[in-house]
Amino acid sequence: MRFYPRRILRSVLVVTMLLFVMLNLHILLTAQPEGSSEYRKALILQGNHKSIFEMHVQFSNSDGEYVQLPNLPKFVITPKLKPFNMTPIAINHDVDVTNLTVIKSETARINAEQQIHNIDQFGLRLDSHSVVIVIQVHDRHDYLYILLDSLRKVRNIEKTLLVISHDVYSPELNQVVESIDFCPVMQIFFPYSQQMFPDVFPGESVNDCPRDIKKDQAKLKKCNNAEHPDKYGHYREAKYCQAKHHWIWKLNHVFEGVDVLINYEGMVLLLEDDYFLTEDALTMLQMMHNLQLKDCKDCRMFVIGNYDKIQNYKMNSGKAEKAYWISSRHNMGMVFNRKLWQAIKQCSQQFCLHDDYNWDWTIQHLSMKCIPNKIRLLKMKASRVFHIGECGMHVKGKSCNPDGKLKKVLDLIAKNKQYFFPNVLTVAGESRYKLRDPKANGGWGDKRDHDMCLSFFQNSTVS
């Protein structure tokens, strides 16, 4: 029989191809289908509370980065992040709030464990278009409840991560937070609060210099920090200093200390416990983000609230204006990402040494004197955030009941209901307010405050 090399080679190739096709068909037929329990265990967090990192490690590429899978379920965090705890919040309801040692231990445990509640229900996907909401909370649980009730009604709230930052450990506040059932939520606690240090720095010590004592008398008395009153000759008041400390600690902790946010590049919305949000607040924020990419590329902040006494939603619901940061106009509903945080970090010395106990006036000083090209922003002309607090750090009214102011806000929203959720957002001019480096308000001359503030940036422990 005569052999033909070409025919033999062709036959071998055909057989090889047939074997390859049969092998792939076998794999497809015997592999677990996408809806099977084993596949879902690898992608969806049910029952067992393994970290998302553990659940997805088998899908990482050779560099250890997560790959994009088709039809990826909602229980995913991108990009690659550190492992974190997603078991339900485990608050100890038997804590004795009069026992400072126990409170310090419990809050340190909660900060370290970084538990995220509701993630098994809603999941969490973080990318450059996401929103993390951070609320600074003091001791007014009735105000916090109102804010959370407004957030419950905000469209797409289930897609956010809510971080509650406390400076008071309170059973009432914990119960309010534990009632949140509309989005993933994490609690953190400012570890140097007056509650935890009532009679030593950063609280008020018996040997602290009285606010209005003269410097020469303070030196004779040898009270704490006698050499360093503020620029107006006054000595520190702990209750005022705490707000600035808490604000900058909170940002350091969120951007640098929370594992799930270590590589997060998306938006962070800063709120306070006596705010109220409209239902389209997040929708407008996403529209501002899209508008910024097109019409305000040098804007590094969004502001969705304003203090205007007259709100014209018919004219301004779908309008934003460009501006530069002014503390008294742009500190409500401010939003920025890691890039601006990095710029603030570069100015840590100026932030911590500037003699002003207000964090927002200090930020305006940084914008004018330290942050390159100032803080440029987009601001909503019709507010999506309202301040309903009647009493606070600076104001002590006869009645601290929020019901009156809340009713006015609800009436305003009801009368303008048809103007929310506009189809288009446009830039309508630029703010004409004159920029200036504001005169420092003082209250921040104590070297101990400077050192503690700087320690937050250095991630060191304050003794």
Side-chain angles (χ1 to χ4, degrees):
M1 180 179 292
R2 202 170 187 181
F3 291 92
Y4 295 94
R6 287 187 179 180
R7 289 183 181 178
I8 295 173
L9 181 59
R10 191 180 305 158
S11 300
V12 170
L13 288 173
V14 170
V15 171
T16 302
M17 290 177 66
L18 285 172
L19 286 172
F20 179 81
V21 171
M22 291 174 66
L23 179 61
N24 278 276
L25 284 172
H26 174 74
I27 291 172
L28 288 172
L29 291 171
T30 58
Q32 292 286 349
E34 190 168 300
S36 71
S37 60
E38 288 302 312
Y39 181 88
R40 293 183 67 80
K41 281 180 184 176
L43 289 178
I44 301 181
L45 307 176
Q46 292 180 338
N48 56 1
H49 294 297
K50 291 183 179 181
S51 72
I52 287 181
F53 177 84
E54 294 171 326
M55 299 300 285
H56 289 80
V57 69
Q58 60 181 302
F59 295 107
S60 62
N61 61 23
S62 59
D63 296 323
E65 298 174 341
Y66 291 124
V67 296
Q68 294 293 326
L69 298 177
N71 302 318
L72 207 58
K74 63 183 179 181
F75 298 93
V76 173
I77 293 181
T78 53
K80 180 186 174 184
L81 300 159
K82 290 184 177 181
F84 70 99
N85 197 334
M86 51 76 64
T87 55
I89 292 175
I91 297 292
N92 185 352
H93 293 283
D94 298 322
V95 169
D96 179 3
V97 293
T98 64
N99 189 324
L100 298 181
T101 302
V102 172
I103 290 177
K104 289 177 184 178
S105 174
E106 178 68 2
T107 54
R109 177 186 71 82
I110 295 169
N111 283 350
E113 291 184 358
Q114 302 185 11
Q115 295 172 333
I116 301 179
H117 185 49
N118 294 334
I119 198 172
D120 54 340
Q121 179 181 355
F122 297 106
L124 184 61
R125 186 183 183 94
L126 296 176
D127 55 38
S128 60
H129 295 278
S130 300
V131 181
V132 172
I133 301 174
V134 183
I135 306 174
Q136 185 161 324
V137 176
H138 187 46
D139 61 357
R140 301 173 292 181
H141 65 275
D142 50 347
Y143 279 97
L144 177 60
Y145 182 84
I146 292 171
L147 168 60
L148 294 177
D149 192 50
S150 75
L151 284 173
R152 176 189 300 278
K153 299 165 186 171
V154 172
R155 185 179 294 179
N156 294 322
I157 190 64
E158 72 281 357
K159 297 177 182 178
T160 67
L161 171 62
L162 185 60
V163 180
I164 312 287
S165 184
H166 302 267
D167 58 36
V168 171
Y169 185 93
S170 154
E172 291 82 9
L173 287 170
N174 288 336
Q175 286 176 7
V176 173
V177 175
E178 286 183 304
S179 72
I180 296 172
D181 58 2
F182 51 82
C183 71
V185 59
M186 174 190 291
Q187 291 196 92
I188 59 177
F189 288 84
F190 176 52
Y192 304 107
S193 67
Q194 280 188 275
Q195 183 192 34
M196 297 185 209
F197 297 88
D199 51 12
V200 295
F201 180 85
E204 291 186 358
S205 165
V206 240
N207 196 42
D208 279 350
C209 298
R211 177 185 183 274
D212 296 321
I213 193 174
K214 300 299 181 185
K215 185 175 180 179
D216 54 350
Q217 295 175 314
K219 290 167 72 174
L220 287 173
K221 188 179 179 182
K222 296 184 178 178
C223 53
N224 294 333
N225 199 51
E227 294 286 350
H228 301 285
D230 69 10
K231 64 183 298 180
Y232 302 107
H234 301 304
Y235 291 93
R236 81 185 297 266
E237 295 177 89
K239 63 181 178 181
Y240 297 132
C241 293
Q242 176 173 279
K244 182 173 176 176
H245 280 307
H246 185 179
W247 191 85
I248 200 63
W249 173 86
K250 167 190 71 183
L251 287 182
N252 267 284
H253 192 70
V254 165
F255 281 107
E256 312 291 342
V258 175
D259 290 342
V260 76
L261 299 175
I262 288 298
N263 295 324
Y264 178 61
E265 300 288 345
M267 294 176 280
V268 174
L269 166 60
L270 302 182
L271 301 175
E272 296 185 14
D273 56 1
D274 57 356
Y275 288 174
F276 185 96
L277 273 69
T278 63
E279 294 182 24
D280 66 345
L282 289 178
T283 303
M284 300 316 300
L285 178 53
Q286 292 292 352
M287 293 175 76
M288 292 177 87
H289 184 254
N290 295 334
L291 186 64
Q292 180 263 339
L293 296 174
K294 182 168 65 81
D295 291 339
C296 193
K297 293 180 180 177
D298 58 340
C299 288
R300 293 187 279 184
M301 182 186 290
F302 307 131
V303 179
I304 60 173
N306 67 60
Y307 296 98
D308 296 348
K309 291 183 179 179
I310 298 176
Q311 298 288 339
N312 191 333
Y313 287 93
K314 183 177 181 180
M315 290 285 294
N316 296 325
S317 182
K319 294 179 182 177
E321 70 175 5
K322 298 178 183 180
Y324 286 98
W325 167 266
I326 297 176
S327 62
S328 58
R329 298 187 59 81
H330 303 134
N331 65 358
M332 185 169 65
M334 53 192 288
V335 184
F336 57 87
N337 61 20
R338 188 174 294 276
K339 287 183 180 178
L340 181 53
W341 166 243
Q342 292 292 344
I344 294 172
K345 276 179 65 179
Q346 292 296 318
C347 299
S348 59
Q349 286 280 333
Q350 290 89 331
F351 183 93
C352 291
L353 302 183
H354 183 61
D355 191 3
D356 197 317
Y357 67 94
N358 298 287
W359 63 262
D360 47 356
W361 289 73
T362 304
I363 291 293
Q364 184 169 344
H365 170 70
L366 297 191
S367 179
M368 296 299 297
K369 297 297 183 181
C370 181
I371 295 175
N373 303 317
K374 305 181 180 63
I375 299 177
R376 183 90 158 137
L377 57 89
L378 270 178
K379 185 201 80 168
M380 288 302 303
K381 288 181 70 67
S383 187
R384 265 57 180 189
V385 182
F386 297 92
H387 180 234
I388 62 168
E390 291 292 348
C391 298
M393 187 167 69
H394 299 290
V395 180
K396 298 295 177 186
K398 293 180 180 178
S399 170
C400 292
N401 191 324
D403 292 348
K405 202 158 187 181
L406 176 61
K407 185 180 183 306
K408 291 180 181 178
V409 169
L410 292 175
D411 287 346
L412 175 67
I413 292 172
K415 288 176 183 176
N416 293 279
K417 190 172 182 180
Q418 72 263 41
Y419 303 120
F420 290 97
F421 296 100
N423 293 323
V424 178
L425 180 66
T426 58
V427 175
E430 182 148 358
S431 172
R432 297 179 181 178
Y433 282 88
K434 187 177 180 180
L435 285 178
R436 63 183 179 86
D437 184 14
K439 185 179 179 182
N441 289 293
W444 194 265
D446 198 309
K447 189 176 183 303
R448 295 172 298 173
D449 286 316
H450 302 166
D451 292 343
M452 187 169 84
C453 176
L454 288 168
S455 75
F456 301 151
F457 288 97
Q458 298 159 359
N459 295 317
S460 60
T461 303
V462 179
S463 57

